[in-house]
Amino acid sequence: MTSAPIERTSVLRRIRQAGKALTTPLSPDDYLALVNPLWSQRELRGRVEKVVPETENAATLVIRPGWGWRFDHSPGQYIGIGVEIDGRFHWRSYSLSSAPLVEGKTVSITVKAMPEGFLSDHLVNGLEPGTIVRLASPQGDFVVPDPPPDRMLFLVGGSGITPVMSILRTLDRRGTLDDVVLIYSARFEEDMMFLQELRELSGRHEGFTFHERFTDVDGILAPEQLDDVCHDWMDRETWACGPAPMLDAFTDHFQRLGREDHLHVERFTLATAGTEGAGGSVTFGDGGPTVEVDGATTLLEAGEEAGVNMLFGCRMGICHTCDVPLAAGRVRDLRSGDEHGEPNEYIQTCISVAVGDCTLAL
Amino acid sequence: MAFADVREYTHLTDEEVEAIGRELDEIRAQVEAERGQADRDHVTRVITLQRRLAAAGRITLFASMFPPAWLLGTVMLGSAKILENMEIGHNTMHGQWDWMNDPEIHSSNWEWDTTQPAEQWKHSHNYIHHQFTNVLGHDNDIGYGILRMSRDQKWTPYNLGQPVYNALLALFFEWGVALHDLDIEAIRKGKKDPKLLKKQLKQIGDKVGKQAFKDYVMYPALSGPSFFHTLSANFTANIMRNVWSYMIIFCGHFPDGAVHFSEEELEDETRAEWYLRQMLGSANFEGGKLLHLMSGQLGYQIEHHLFPDLPSNRYADIAVKVKDICRRYDIPYTTGPLHKQYGQTLRTIMKLSLPNRRTTDNPAPVAPRKRRRLDDSERPTRRSELGKWSAAASA
């Protein structure tokens, strides 16, 4: 990660800085990692402790993070995970399913193997405990405020349960699971992750209502059916996570009723702000190729197209693997529409487009 | 010489040149498809070995006032520096490991254990030298702007000192390399952009400061009573690395048989012709696995110049195929034992310290030229733009 994790104390920072004078051009961590791969902050790392099957095609990976990891993530956030397969690193993002600050200093993500998902299948079926993986710090704003609102509704489809699970476990631990409705759809019973734990949770908490919906039998939940399942949904703060068509349908529905401010949505695909950069001539490094790029093509895509070997990770602006310094010019962040143009400012090539001519320092 | 002359020299028709190009493209495609775990294991093993050697060498040198510790520590540290510069740094900055998508071993952010900043090396070597290999007036690696390495380079009385400059360059090679991308010739002619010069000087200053502080202040200070012993050990290790890398690099393009080219070469050069220029302009040397490892696989200089961004551990296998192509098409494939290759290089340096009329044979031929010779004012300044197909070639 180019964005260095924040040191916990200034003493540690100073020691590391002094050590750097001895190990330049490497960092002290490059040598410490020879002793234990987790003793490095250069790249956040973790060791896979356990792989716990959840359903036939989903598993929870329990990961012990190495140095530089902060256990203060908010429930509902996701992390990046980089896994080496046949010599090559592949990055994906997954919601943390564990509650923050759990005992044992581990975090967990729950992964569902997708039919076409090359990496998810490997994570669920091929990852040996003991494997060292790369990690990216928790991110995302699909979070519940603390203290939580009085009445909450969670609309979940499929693997969208993972961030919600982290939220529910946290509410449970804090004893604030007072008036919460969960509507959770999966294709059939065996396909529903955390089913036993959720049933047990609703048994223990009178205020927690758990609606199980099996779409093979009941069909997909339409926004109009919301009144039947949760009559007071209009009074609730709502969090939704699941397949894109489901999220689109509920977003439209909430907008029509003027309640979009009370709907929090988590999408697993890149959502752009819809603003376009103007495009321009982009030069990839000193002596590198210069190509004309339009305002919709990301700098990463343009570079790959021009035959430049560029680092990439999640390709959706999370993991910062693709960060490079901007030598000249301006770029626009596709997600926020913000422009960046400070000399030598690090930009994320996977979500940035050119605003006029610019040069990347590769 | 122009390409017509290359073909005359190698007896190749246009069709044959293009056929060779296709064969080489196939070799590249095959290696790219095969890259995997075994290749990653190679580079990570070498990196681990190098870091352990460096750490062990530094620790041993804390006792450097004892002569055996001095000797052992110096050899370990010098070997680590050689491995880092040759097999790890050089090859990583060529992008040979970029396919792994590993931020810790990637050309975009690798910085090596020598005085030249990586960014400048990637321009002067990775781009200028590899793109314009052995083209007089473009490739500054022909003599590094210090030595006259071709009869077509103008002789001046300055060149009488070549044996001395050569010895100094060998000993302090990293400093020569550090200044390489500044393009001293352009500065002398007043053609250098002052803004760029300032930026580059600052980069070099920062890098040199860190390197020198580590080797000549921090580690000696930590050795306490062994201060001066550690200082001399670190200095010796750097000289070891300098002489070694100088020798390996000079054996890549200056043994007899490696051809220089004139700038007409570059006009309308096709991908296949570029391949051919790389093959004719480079020279290999032979040796065991350890020698190849310590020289960053540059004993396979021909293969490296054909495929600068393919993993170095593949060059030995690629060499078998390239040699076969050369045999089938009757193209010279320059190789020999290291001592012979360096001996020829040294002989050329000595001979060319004298004006052409004083020497008879031509140790480093520029293949026959039919056009009249350009004088300095007609020569284009060093190229800095890319050719039409060069994104892949320079990557």
Side-chain angles (χ1 to χ4, degrees), chain B residues 5 35 57 62 70 76 161 219 232 234 256 263 272 282 334 338 359 361 365:
Chain B
D5 305 321
R35 286 181 302 207
F62 288 142
W70 187 96
M76 286 198 287
Y219 278 105
S232 72
N234 291 354
D256 298 0
E263 53 239 8
S282 309
T334 307
L338 183 59
T359 55
D361 62 337

Side-chain angles (χ1 to χ4, degrees), chain B residues 36-317:
Chain B
Q37 195 67 50
D39 304 279
R40 179 180 175 83
D41 290 346
H42 168 78
V43 69
T44 52
R45 266 201 306 265
V46 177
I47 288 174
T48 305
L49 169 70
Q50 184 268 328
R51 287 179 189 170
R52 289 197 173 139
L53 257 180
R58 297 285 189 192
I59 291 166
T60 307
L61 287 175
F62 288 142
S64 57
M65 58 165 49
F66 304 106
W70 187 96
L71 187 67
L72 183 66
T74 305
V75 170
M76 286 198 287
L77 184 58
S79 309
K81 280 175 180 273
I82 286 171
L83 269 180
E84 199 281 336
N85 282 191
M86 310 295 287
E87 179 68 339
I88 305 170
H90 168 266
N91 292 337
T92 301
M93 290 190 296
H94 262 295
Q96 294 186 4
W97 306 106
D98 286 2
W99 61 273
M100 302 194 304
N101 197 33
D102 182 341
E104 291 187 7
I105 312 172
H106 197 275
S107 63
S108 65
N109 54 23
W110 191 272
E111 190 55 79
W112 57 344
D113 186 22
T114 178
T115 43
Q116 191 186 33
E119 189 186 323
Q120 293 186 26
W121 183 87
K122 279 187 276 187
H123 179 257
S124 63
H125 174 91
N126 206 347
Y127 168 57
I128 296 286
H129 168 61
H130 272 270
Q131 192 69 341
F132 306 113
T133 312
N134 282 26
V135 176
L136 291 163
H138 291 278
D139 181 0
N140 234 4
D141 278 28
I142 307 175
Y144 273 78
I146 296 168
L147 301 173
R148 179 174 177 252
M149 296 304 295
S150 160
R151 287 170 73 91
D152 282 53
Q153 287 170 318
K154 208 174 148 198
W155 182 89
T156 67
Y158 159 90
N159 296 108
L160 287 170
Q162 287 213 156
V164 180
Y165 317 145
N166 177 57
L168 289 174
L169 182 61
L171 288 173
F172 301 103
F173 192 59
E174 70 168 317
W175 300 94
V177 174
L179 303 176
H180 195 39
D181 197 41
L182 291 177
D183 197 359
I184 306 288
E185 207 180 314
I187 296 173
R188 211 179 49 220
K189 289 179 181 165
K191 286 180 178 169
K192 180 88 180 182
D193 173 7
K195 256 173 85 180
L196 180 63
L197 179 64
K198 206 176 143 194
K199 181 189 157 201
Q200 288 184 317
L201 285 174
K202 187 180 176 310
Q203 273 183 336
I204 295 170
D206 288 351
K207 186 80 194 288
V208 164
K210 282 181 193 162
Q211 288 291 115
F213 187 65
K214 170 178 76 164
D215 280 343
Y216 303 130
V217 179
M218 283 296 270
Y219 278 105
L222 284 175
S223 313
S226 299
F227 185 95
F228 288 105
H229 298 90
T230 299
L231 185 86
S232 72
N234 291 354
F235 180 75
T236 310
N238 279 330
I239 297 284
M240 246 176 87
R241 180 267 319 273
N242 287 349
V243 173
W244 179 255
S245 43
Y246 149 84
M247 190 169 75
I248 298 302
I249 286 155
F250 269 57
C251 285
H253 299 287
F254 305 127
D256 298 0
V259 186
H260 292 139
F261 303 89
S262 58
E263 53 239 8
E264 290 88 354
E265 214 61 69
L266 297 168
E267 282 168 25
D268 303 319
E269 190 180 54
T270 66
R271 174 86 176 148
E273 289 169 333
W274 180 85
Y275 272 141
L276 206 56
R277 176 156 60 81
Q278 303 303 327
M279 289 163 86
L280 298 176
S282 309
N284 283 8
F285 57 79
E286 297 153 355
K289 279 211 158 109
L290 183 65
L291 178 68
H292 284 302
L293 178 70
M294 295 306 281
S295 50
Q297 317 292 338
L298 290 183
Y300 301 108
Q301 185 77 237
I302 296 171
E303 288 71 23
H304 173 58
H305 261 269
L306 290 171
F307 310 112
D309 56 345
L310 291 185
S312 61
N313 58 320
R314 296 280 182 162
Y315 288 150
D317 289 342

Side-chain angles (χ1 to χ4, degrees), chain A residues 189-207:
Chain A
E189 193 169 328
E190 291 72 31
D191 200 36
M192 193 170 260
M193 289 189 266
F194 310 111
L195 184 57
Q196 295 314 318
E197 185 178 346
L198 287 167
R199 282 176 179 166
E200 185 263 335
L201 209 56
S202 72
R204 271 197 293 122
H205 293 273
E206 219 167 285

Side-chain angles (χ1 to χ4, degrees), chain A residues 270-272 275-277 279-280 282 284 291-306 310-312 314-317 322 324 331-335 347-355 358 360:
Chain A
L270 174 62
T272 60
T275 50
E276 284 204 354
V282 181
F284 293 89
V291 291
E292 287 298 319
V293 181
D294 66 27
T297 308
T298 64
L299 299 176
L300 176 62
E301 287 168 358
E304 289 175 334
E305 184 68 24
M310 296 171 78
L311 273 168
F312 64 90
C314 61
R315 305 185 82 99
M316 55 193 288
C322 66
V324 296
V331 300
R332 179 171 292 145
D333 184 326
L334 270 181
R335 301 164 304 174
I347 56 140
Q348 295 168 270
T349 59
C350 73
I351 44 92
S352 296
V353 294
V355 183
C358 55
L360 302 180

